[in-house]
Amino acid sequence: QFRRGHSPCIEDVAYEELDVPGLLSPSVVDNASASAYSRIRFVPLTTRGGDGCSLVISDLYLYVGEEVLDLEGMDNEAGAGGSADAALDNNATTQFEDPLCRGFEVSLPRPLPVDGVALVTADGEHADRSNDPKAFLVRGQQREGGQWTTLFRTSDFATPLHRQALTGVARFRGGRTEYEVGIPSGQLIGTHTICWAERADGRFIVDAGTLTLQGLDSLQDQ
């Protein structure tokens, strides 16, 4: 949406919407040179319980395209020197408990362009729906000692209510989305706000990224 004036990007605020032909017709430009990462960090932020953060999951899967990486036995570290083996063993009967939501890191078999993550909910003595992840980060490191890059961030992850259930695959964005827009109708002098929705329910959110506007600095007859 293209709104006149300063406007928070929520539906229950009155605003004047300007018509921008083409704004709803994006095209995706793939990033052919996606970065490869040698180590991945999973950082839980909140759990479904909402009171503090105490995470329990059965498994975490990382994807490169449609391939699920085999992480069993890979070097990993959880919290203060602990182990994340139970989250990486592809075994839904084991569970990884993280009562302080410190998260964990795992080394990959080789540098890989990881582009997706999925989880399996836990079912055990210390696990119930309140321990399911709701918000988390996934970060990648290209080389040892290098900078960590945020690959994915969610604040309302769709974790299943069923136990020992696989979530959907959350894909990391690659490349960029381009909009070939026309000239907005109406008077354009002054301040305007651009909003866009990434969810089916129309909630306007932007987890990460850069918005670049390019175009003519004057109108010319063609």
Side-chain angles (χ1 to χ4, degrees):
Q1 290 179 343
F2 194 69
R3 302 180 178 184
R4 187 187 301 280
H6 288 293
S7 173
C9 290
I10 53 179
E11 288 293 341
D12 56 355
V13 169
Y15 61 88
E16 180 184 353
E17 182 177 353
L18 301 177
D19 180 35
V20 185
L23 190 58
L24 299 180
S25 303
S27 61
V28 177
V29 181
D30 292 330
N31 183 1
S33 58
S35 298
Y37 297 93
S38 61
R39 196 166 177 87
I40 296 294
R41 175 184 290 169
F42 174 75
V43 185
L45 301 176
T46 61
T47 47
R48 201 197 299 271
D51 184 16
C53 187
S54 179
L55 175 79
V56 185
I57 60 174
S58 283
D59 283 300
L60 176 138
Y61 297 122
L62 296 175
Y63 292 75
V64 176
E66 298 304 316
E67 177 188 359
V68 181
L69 300 183
D70 182 6
L71 301 175
E72 186 174 6
M74 298 303 299
D75 177 61
N76 66 79
E77 181 178 348
S83 170
D85 287 347
L88 306 169
D89 60 2
N90 192 25
N91 183 349
T93 65
T94 62
Q95 58 186 35
F96 169 71
E97 299 180 17
D98 188 3
L100 298 178
C101 284
R102 294 178 174 175
F104 60 86
E105 299 176 9
V106 58
S107 294
L108 303 184
R110 61 187 184 281
L112 291 166
V114 175
D115 64 358
V117 63
L119 304 167
V120 177
T121 58
D123 183 18
E125 180 181 357
H126 303 290
D128 58 36
R129 294 174 179 176
S130 67
N131 302 117
D132 293 341
K134 182 178 181 181
F136 60 85
L137 295 171
V138 178
R139 291 177 172 153
Q141 186 183 52
Q142 292 182 293
R143 59 185 181 278
E144 185 177 358
Q147 183 177 5
W148 288 92
T149 300
T150 298
L151 306 178
F152 180 76
R153 180 189 181 102
T154 179
S155 58
D156 194 12
F157 191 63
T159 308
L161 295 177
H162 297 295
R163 302 297 85 199
Q164 296 183 350
L166 178 65
T167 69
V169 180
R171 291 293 177 181
F172 311 156
R173 290 182 178 83
R176 65 187 185 274
T177 302
E178 293 185 349
Y179 295 82
E180 286 286 342
V181 302
I183 303 300
S185 63
Q187 178 58 253
L188 293 181
I189 297 176
T191 302
H192 299 81
T193 303
I194 293 178
C195 303
W196 64 94
E198 295 184 325
R199 293 163 48 120
D201 60 13
R203 179 182 174 188
F204 293 103
I205 57 171
V206 179
D207 285 333
T210 300
L211 176 65
T212 301
L213 301 179
Q214 296 178 322
L216 297 175
D217 57 7
S218 62
L219 181 63
Q220 300 177 2
D221 293 329
Q222 300 295 324

